[in-house]
């Protein structure tokens, strides 16, 4: 498919962009501890420039080292020493005719004091962010004036380094938004009060940058079309803010929405569809004449094209799309939509960042590791290796090995690739996981991997055929505890396979992990469902906002969740549990086990007798999530050496 609008040139002020694709700011935590752009960060952004982004906006970039720390390893523009590495970053991006902005940021009350070395967090007023849970102190008038100068200095550093423009982060409940929003600005000095008072801080910053960097140096403002919190910025005021900012002479508006307190509205889980907030940008674009950039949960190039065609925005923000696939843009331009690994909305990237580690992605094992793991050593010399199992880890290993010029055959026991991902794609909101299976299958074929279906290869046959090593990715099997009456239960896997016709039944699901919760959603349309979990919470491996939306949906569907209940036995259509010292019984027509999996290793010993190298992948090695399966498969295929 040809995307005429998407790959049309555009302009922000006097700056010409090669297309309408913007990679907006997303935290990556790849900077050096000094705040400089590390080689890891430079490679990360360069890959997205090569992958088709017309404009890249860096992660939240620190302008203040005292109260403005957003993440430990955060890009900074607080000192002239940051200029040399920022210059290297700009050069790396410019090599692909891509432009780059630095996003200037201060978190305000949306950062924990532990990141500030114990100092109290600050804000426009002493209004606590309920997510952080720490009371901030209101900045003094003099401190606000000082921060204005630091924002301006940050822009000076960026321009000196050859950065094409800056973006002020005035959205998502961060400091500039805290001054603009009536929810957080209760000040009585000149930086508070009426609309003009609340806009004064960002006004002084914009005028300061214009005076320092020149009136034509591009300034974009990331703003909320609406905050979705009580007494916050609503859509009408969002339009008013946009028109006011345009009047100050900025060159672009980057429209998003939400704050930490409105949760999923900032970074949407899979339950929210593409374009759910498109009206925010559409209404702002209709009221201003400067370019509007907008994020809209975009997964597919065709949807991005439609937003441009319908005048929702002038530039489309492809955020997590570029995390899942660094080549999102170039694949779209070549019409290779099928080959794009499309973000599935699992929010694993944010869960990892919240552990203070560099960003990772469920679908992209290279994310954040491009510098160290991106160059495949083509040392295979067409020597034959076999991959057993066509699930996520088996396919990923096969692709990497084939790219390294091994002669790879993938043996799959069924008639299709995907393994348990085919089952994981069945519950509500998991359609994109089904698309990912199709993408990986296409990449397996593109890599030149030979696939043999409906075959369980034996060690002797493979040895005779000249294979020199085995990658075993045959998956796991459901855990079935040895408890009285357990033979009356069925597994979640068998339910998702459609092996049972369950209607109008009282169904008890044992296990409140991801599989248990999603199986509950699948069954709740036609059954009365109860989930029993021995821990004190369910869905603990999920990112908080994803988990919150999922649990709300489950409550709305009438699903009952019981935590701190330990299964003891099943008898006469009753599930018996221990809850503290209390014995509890639940009536159940059907009992479904979703207690995790254990490795399948029955054939391992036979293969190890015949082959010197048998490498275990995915659940065969260590049961885990898709991210862990793909990462371990990539890594082991990357370092593999026949000697």
């Amino acid at each position: 498919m040809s995307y005429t609008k998407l790959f049309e040139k555009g302009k922000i002020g006097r700056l010409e962009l090669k297309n309408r694709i913007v990679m907006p700011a997303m935290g990556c935590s790849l900077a050096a501890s000094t705040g400089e752009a590390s080689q890891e960060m430079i490679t990360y952004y360069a890959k997205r420039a090569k992958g088709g982004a017309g404009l890249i906006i860096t992660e939240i970039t620190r302008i203040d080292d005292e109260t403005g720390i957003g993440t430990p390893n955060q890009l900074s523009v607080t000192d002239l020493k940051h200029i040399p590495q920022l210059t290297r970053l700009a050069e790396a991006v410019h090599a692909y005719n891509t432009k780059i902005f630095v996003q200037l940021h201060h978190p305000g009350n949306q950062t924990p004091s532990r990141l500030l070395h114990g100092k109290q967090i600050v804000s426009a007023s002493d209004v606590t962010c309920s997510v952080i849970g720490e009371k901030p102190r209101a900045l003094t008038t003099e401190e606000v004036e000082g921060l204005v100068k630091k924002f301006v200095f940050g822009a000076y550093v960026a321009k000196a380094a050859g950065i094409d423009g800056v973006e002020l982060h005035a959205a998502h409940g961060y400091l500039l938004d805290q001054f603009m929003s009536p929810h957080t600005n209760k000040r009585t000095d000149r930086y508070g009060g009426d609309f003009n008072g609340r806009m004064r801080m960002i006004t002084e910053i914009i005028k300061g940058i214009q005076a320092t960097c020149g009136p034509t140096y591009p300034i974009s403002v990331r703003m909320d079309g609406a905050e979705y919190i009580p007494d916050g910025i609503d859509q009408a005021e969002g339009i008013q803010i946009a028109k006011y900012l345009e009047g100050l002479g900025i060159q672009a508006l980057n429209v998003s929405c939400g704050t930490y307190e409105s949760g999923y509205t900032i970074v949407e889980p899979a339950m929210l569809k593409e374009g759910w907030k498109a009206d925010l940008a559409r209404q702002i674009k209709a009221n201003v004449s400067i370019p509007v950039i907008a994020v809209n949960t975009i997964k597919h190039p065709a949807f991005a094209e439609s937003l441009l065609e319908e005048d929702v925005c002038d530039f489309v923000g492809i955020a997590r799309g570029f995390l899942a696939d660094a080549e999102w843009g170039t694949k779209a331009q070549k019409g290779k939509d099928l080959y794009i690994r499309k973000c599935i909305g699992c929010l694993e990237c944010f869960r990892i960042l919240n552990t203070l580690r560099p960003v990772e992605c469920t679908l992209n094992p290279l994310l954040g590791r491009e510098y160290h793991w991106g160059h495949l050593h083509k040392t295979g010399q067409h020597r034959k290796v076999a991959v057993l199992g066509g699930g996520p880890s088996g396919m990923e290993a096969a692709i990497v090995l084939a790219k390294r010029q091994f002669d790879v055959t993938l043996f799959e026991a069924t008639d299709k690739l995907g393994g348990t991902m085919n089952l994981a794609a069945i519950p509500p909101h998991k359609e994109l996981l089904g698309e990912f299976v199709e993408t990986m299958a296409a990449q397996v074929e593109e890599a030149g991997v030979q696939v043999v279906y409906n075959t369980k290869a034996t060690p002797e046959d493979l040895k005779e055929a000249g294979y020199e090593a085995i990658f075993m990715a045959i998956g796991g099997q459901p855990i079935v505890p040895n408890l009285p009456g357990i033979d009356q239960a069925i597994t979640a896997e068998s339910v998702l396979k459609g092996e049972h016709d369950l209607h109008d039944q009282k169904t008890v699901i044992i296990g409140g992990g991801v599989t248990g919760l999603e199986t509950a959603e699948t069954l709740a349309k036609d059954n009365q469902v109860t989930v029993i979990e021995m821990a004190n919470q369910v869905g603990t491996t999920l990112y908080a906002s994803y988990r919150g939306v999922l649990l709300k949906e489950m409550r709305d569907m009438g699903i009952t969740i019981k935590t701190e209940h330990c299964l003891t036995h099943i008898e006469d259509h009753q599930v018996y549990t221990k809850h503290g010292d209390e014995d509890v019984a639940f009536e159940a027509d059907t009992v479904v086990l979703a207690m995790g999996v254990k490795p399948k290793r029955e054939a391992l010993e036979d293969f190890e007798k015949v082959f010197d190298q048998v490498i275990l992948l995915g659940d065969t090695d260590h049961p885990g999530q898709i991210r862990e399966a793909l990462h371990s498969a990539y890594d082991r295929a990357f370092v593999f050496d026949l000697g």
Side-chain angles (χ1 to χ4, degrees):
M1 183 174 179
S2 176
Y3 299 116
T4 305
K5 290 282 188 180
L6 199 57
F7 293 99
E8 179 182 76
K9 290 181 180 179
K11 295 188 79 172
I12 293 178
R14 298 180 181 179
L15 188 69
E16 185 172 271
L17 304 183
K18 65 183 180 183
N19 59 39
R20 300 302 179 111
I21 301 173
V22 175
M23 178 182 168
M26 293 171 286
C28 60
S29 291
L30 293 172
S33 59
T34 58
E36 293 168 283
S38 65
Q39 191 57 53
E40 289 84 353
M41 175 176 279
I42 292 170
T43 306
Y44 160 78
Y45 282 121
K47 290 289 186 183
R48 274 76 196 167
K50 182 180 181 182
L55 169 65
I56 289 174
I57 305 173
T58 68
E59 71 166 359
I60 55 171
T61 301
R62 191 184 306 171
I63 57 94
D64 172 47
D65 291 325
E66 296 299 315
T67 60
I69 302 172
T71 65
N73 284 66
Q74 180 184 10
L75 190 63
S76 298
V77 284
T78 60
D79 195 288
L80 296 177
K81 70 182 180 184
H82 297 133
I83 291 175
Q85 284 302 103
L86 269 183
T87 302
R88 302 287 87 79
L89 172 58
E91 290 171 343
V93 169
H94 288 160
Y96 298 99
N97 193 28
T98 297
K99 303 302 188 289
I100 184 168
F101 285 8
V102 161
Q103 188 187 72
L104 306 178
H105 170 268
H106 190 296
N109 68 4
Q110 290 188 164
T111 193
S113 58
R114 67 176 180 273
L115 289 184
L116 309 184
H117 311 292
K119 295 176 183 175
Q120 186 178 7
I121 59 177
V122 300
S123 181
S125 305
D126 61 353
V127 177
T128 300
C129 169
S130 61
V131 175
I132 299 298
E134 296 184 28
K135 192 175 185 64
R137 65 173 181 83
L139 289 160
T140 67
T141 302
E142 292 74 18
E143 286 176 316
V144 177
E145 293 169 346
L147 286 175
V148 168
K149 293 177 181 177
K150 289 184 177 183
F151 272 97
V152 174
F153 180 78
Y156 168 78
V157 169
K159 185 180 181 186
I163 299 294
D164 299 294
V166 293
E167 178 167 276
L168 301 177
H169 199 334
H172 300 168
Y174 292 123
L175 185 69
L176 294 183
D177 185 41
Q178 290 161 33
F179 273 84
M180 292 161 56
S181 174
H183 175 72
T184 39
N185 191 336
K186 312 297 182 183
R187 301 177 71 93
T188 57
D189 65 358
R190 69 177 187 272
Y191 293 107
D194 61 8
F195 177 83
N196 289 331
R198 288 187 278 115
M199 296 296 295
R200 191 176 305 280
M201 184 180 187
I202 196 168
T203 300
E204 292 180 356
I205 292 169
I206 291 169
K207 289 182 176 179
I209 293 172
Q210 291 168 338
T212 302
C213 299
T216 62
Y217 187 63
I219 301 173
S220 169
V221 175
R222 189 161 213 193
M223 60 165 290
D224 274 348
E227 288 187 308
Y228 297 120
I229 54 175
D231 72 356
I233 295 169
D234 59 16
Q235 191 168 358
E237 188 164 17
I239 294 170
Q240 183 185 8
I241 289 171
K243 293 166 69 175
Y244 177 89
L245 291 170
E246 180 184 27
L248 294 175
I250 67 168
Q251 283 74 20
L253 291 163
N254 187 349
V255 180
S256 185
C257 64
T259 75
Y260 281 18
E261 292 184 303
S262 59
Y264 66 84
T265 62
I266 300 180
V267 186
E268 305 89 331
M271 298 78 165
L272 277 75
K273 301 301 183 184
E274 288 179 290
W276 72 272
K277 58 187 176 187
D279 192 56
L280 296 177
R282 181 187 288 110
Q283 292 300 321
I284 286 174
K285 178 171 164 49
N287 281 276
V288 299
S289 58
I290 57 176
V292 171
I293 306 164
V295 287
N296 267 300
T297 328
I298 298 167
K299 313 293 184 184
H300 303 87
F303 186 76
E305 179 82 359
S306 72
L307 293 175
L308 296 171
E309 290 175 341
E310 296 165 12
D311 282 333
V312 171
C313 52
D314 300 286
F315 295 88
V316 291
I318 310 298
R320 286 172 288 158
F322 269 115
L323 300 187
D325 196 326
E327 300 175 30
W328 194 98
T330 52
K331 288 178 180 178
Q333 190 167 24
K334 294 174 183 176
K336 299 181 69 173
D337 299 29
L338 175 61
Y339 295 86
I340 298 174
R341 295 194 180 193
K342 302 167 188 74
C343 168
I344 59 175
C346 65
L347 305 188
E348 186 72 355
C349 47
F350 282 84
R351 189 191 70 80
I352 294 291
L353 280 172
N354 279 356
T355 67
L356 305 183
R357 287 160 49 188
V359 67
E360 294 183 24
C361 173
T362 288
L363 307 187
N364 182 3
L366 265 180
L367 177 62
R369 310 190 307 159
E370 294 86 354
Y371 177 66
H372 296 287
W373 294 82
H375 178 70
L376 294 175
H377 302 285
K378 297 181 179 181
T379 56
Q381 298 178 322
H382 303 288
R383 298 170 75 176
K384 296 178 71 173
V385 296
V387 177
L388 309 185
S393 61
M395 287 193 285
E396 183 69 21
I399 292 167
V400 174
L401 290 166
K403 288 181 178 179
R404 293 190 57 209
Q405 298 183 350
F406 286 94
D407 185 350
V408 185
T409 303
L410 192 161
F411 294 89
E412 168 54 41
T414 70
D415 61 357
K416 67 184 298 186
L417 296 174
T420 55
M421 281 200 300
N422 292 313
L423 302 181
I426 292 173
H429 317 302
K430 302 302 285 293
E431 299 86 357
L432 285 164
L433 195 54
E435 290 189 33
F436 178 57
V437 173
E438 295 174 358
T439 294
M440 287 206 76
Q443 291 176 334
V444 165
E445 181 180 2
E446 183 183 47
V449 176
Q450 180 183 356
V451 180
V452 180
Y453 293 100
N454 299 307
T455 301
K456 290 186 177 180
T458 66
E460 293 75 19
D461 288 343
L462 294 178
K463 190 70 173 180
E464 185 177 346
Y467 291 95
E468 299 184 56
I470 305 298
F471 285 78
M472 187 172 287
I474 58 176
Q477 56 192 11
I479 293 173
V480 179
N482 184 19
L483 294 172
I486 203 70
D487 58 334
Q488 300 175 38
I490 59 178
T491 65
E493 180 178 335
S494 67
V495 170
L496 294 174
K497 284 181 177 177
E499 295 177 1
H500 311 279
D501 187 19
L502 302 181
H503 295 281
D504 300 319
Q505 295 199 12
K506 292 181 178 179
T507 304
V508 173
I509 296 176
I510 311 297
V514 175
T515 301
L517 299 182
E518 292 181 346
T519 304
E521 269 204 305
T522 304
L523 293 176
K525 297 177 183 177
D526 303 306
N527 300 275
Q528 180 181 327
V529 178
T530 300
V531 176
I532 292 175
E533 167 60 42
M534 65 186 299
N536 61 3
Q537 293 186 69
V538 295
T540 54
T541 61
L542 297 170
Y543 182 62
S545 62
Y546 189 108
R547 179 176 175 272
V549 176
L550 177 60
L551 293 181
K552 181 183 183 302
E553 282 194 346
M554 294 178 70
R555 289 193 299 270
D556 292 344
M557 297 176 76
I559 297 170
T560 300
I561 296 176
K562 297 289 186 180
T563 57
E564 299 181 310
H565 280 259
C566 184
L567 175 67
T568 58
H569 63 287
I570 303 168
E571 183 180 354
D572 298 330
H573 297 289
Q574 298 278 335
V575 172
Y576 291 89
T577 68
K578 200 78 171 176
H579 181 56
D581 295 328
E582 181 184 5
D583 293 315
V584 183
F586 297 89
E587 187 176 349
D589 300 310
T590 302
V591 182
V592 180
L593 300 180
M595 304 176 74
V597 298
K598 59 183 180 180
K600 284 183 184 176
R601 293 186 180 175
E602 294 82 0
L604 176 60
E605 187 175 339
D606 292 337
F607 278 94
E608 288 181 332
K609 288 178 181 177
V610 177
F611 291 93
D612 292 332
Q613 294 202 62
V614 180
I615 296 96
L616 302 183
L617 304 174
D619 286 346
T620 310
D621 177 38
H622 177 75
Q625 304 298 317
I626 296 172
R627 177 184 63 83
E628 295 162 318
L630 291 172
H631 278 60
S632 67
Y634 183 96
D635 292 355
R636 288 173 187 180
F638 181 91
V639 302
F640 174 67
D641 186 4
L642 278 170

